[in-house]
Amino acid sequence: MARYIRAFIEDSPENEGDEVLLAKDEGSHLSRVLRIQQGDAVELLDGKGGRFASKCLEVDRNQVRVGISKIEKVAPCKTQTRMAIALGKGNKWEEIIRPLTELGINRLTPLKTERTEGAFSGVKLKDKKERWIKIAREASKQSGNAWLPVFDSPIDFQELIKSPEAGEERWMASLTSGMRTESMGKEANLLSIFIGPEGGWSEREEAQAKEVGLSFLSLGPYTLRLETATVSALAVARQLLLC
């Protein structure tokens, strides 16, 4: 299997032949960890659909300069996917960012539910989002996904379901009821999948979801960990959307 060396960039080059000096952390990783050499191929990603083939021109201890040889714009999926996921204890919410980014999630929304077991103060939100973006970038480089997910601020479940977006289709993963359908999301601009806490949705939350028209999605008869439920639901959606 070919070895892919990837790096993340903030500013997208506009022309073939442009030279790019990688950020210090990216250059340090390539030079010290991956032992990149002059002439090695590097694939650059900007998280906004840009994929840039390049060749290493200069390697220093903390600095790598590359030359752009090809510019590619990866089209987004016709149906964008969002997962609204209940916050969990410890680092569980952070742990699911990597696999979901590898699978191509477009948007992640932390949910506060009646049985939510994890939370954090608004003061820490900025630091948390920076951490989430860092994890997503690493997953993007590992997988080659050219699109980084957008991270929303935490929101109450009841508040989120009140106001669907234009062209949005909404599914709620549930053990008590649900179905799988091959038409899932195919006519939607945005497919939102709601994943509850490990203690499950409350009866009131499921009743509220039915009242506002959410469809129910079955992930099988077994109680799943938060990480398993999120990855399983997105994998089903991506397969059905063929994107």
Side-chain angles (χ1 to χ4, degrees), residues 87 93-94 97 107-110 120-137 148-155:
L87 289 164
W93 212 89
E94 290 189 355
I97 293 173
R107 183 173 170 186
L108 283 165
T109 306
F120 47 84
S121 67
V123 177
K124 295 182 180 179
L125 181 57
K126 181 179 178 181
D127 291 339
K128 286 287 186 180
K129 282 191 174 182
E130 289 177 355
R131 170 67 177 162
W132 298 345
I133 292 170
K134 182 178 180 180
I135 295 171
R137 285 180 175 178
L148 282 182
V150 173
F151 293 98
D152 294 322
S153 297
I155 186 172

Side-chain angles (χ1 to χ4, degrees), residues 15-18 41-42 52-55 66-72:
N15 304 297
E16 294 181 4
D18 286 353
V42 182
F52 310 91
S54 71
K55 183 173 289 187
V66 301
I68 304 300
S69 56
K70 183 180 178 181
I71 296 176
E72 178 186 2

Side-chain angles (χ1 to χ4, degrees), residues 52-211:
F52 310 91
S54 71
K55 183 173 289 187
C56 179
L57 303 176
E58 178 187 357
V59 183
D60 200 347
R61 187 168 178 81
N62 293 313
Q63 181 173 294
V64 172
R65 186 184 301 276
V66 301
I68 304 300
S69 56
K70 183 180 178 181
I71 296 176
E72 178 186 2
K73 186 68 174 179
V74 180
C77 185
K78 176 184 175 183
T79 300
Q80 297 285 285
T81 50
R82 170 173 66 179
M83 299 202 77
I85 307 165
L87 289 164
K89 285 183 178 179
N91 294 323
K92 283 190 176 183
W93 212 89
E94 290 189 355
E95 290 172 359
I96 63 179
I97 293 173
R98 180 178 294 275
L100 295 183
T101 301
E102 292 174 4
L103 282 169
I105 191 66
N106 301 112
R107 183 173 170 186
L108 283 165
T109 306
L111 277 185
K112 292 181 283 186
T113 71
E114 291 186 13
R115 295 173 179 168
T116 290
E117 296 179 318
F120 47 84
S121 67
V123 177
K124 295 182 180 179
L125 181 57
K126 181 179 178 181
D127 291 339
K128 286 287 186 180
K129 282 191 174 182
E130 289 177 355
R131 170 67 177 162
W132 298 345
I133 292 170
K134 182 178 180 180
I135 295 171
R137 285 180 175 178
E138 292 302 315
S140 177
K141 289 190 291 185
Q142 189 279 326
S143 63
N145 178 11
W147 290 92
L148 282 182
V150 173
F151 293 98
D152 294 322
S153 297
I155 186 172
D156 289 328
F157 169 76
Q158 291 88 349
E159 184 66 26
L160 182 58
I161 64 174
K162 286 180 182 177
S163 305
E165 298 188 13
E168 181 183 12
E169 185 176 308
R170 303 182 296 174
W171 288 78
M172 184 176 185
S174 173
L175 289 175
T176 58
S177 61
M179 62 181 179
R180 289 173 57 176
T181 172
E182 293 185 357
S183 64
M184 180 181 181
K186 289 191 175 180
E187 301 301 323
N189 296 324
L190 174 66
L191 172 63
S192 293
I193 303 173
F194 290 72
I195 304 292
E198 291 188 337
W201 301 107
S202 69
E203 291 184 5
R204 182 170 72 167
E205 285 170 335
E206 292 206 354
Q208 291 171 330
K210 290 178 181 178
E211 287 176 6

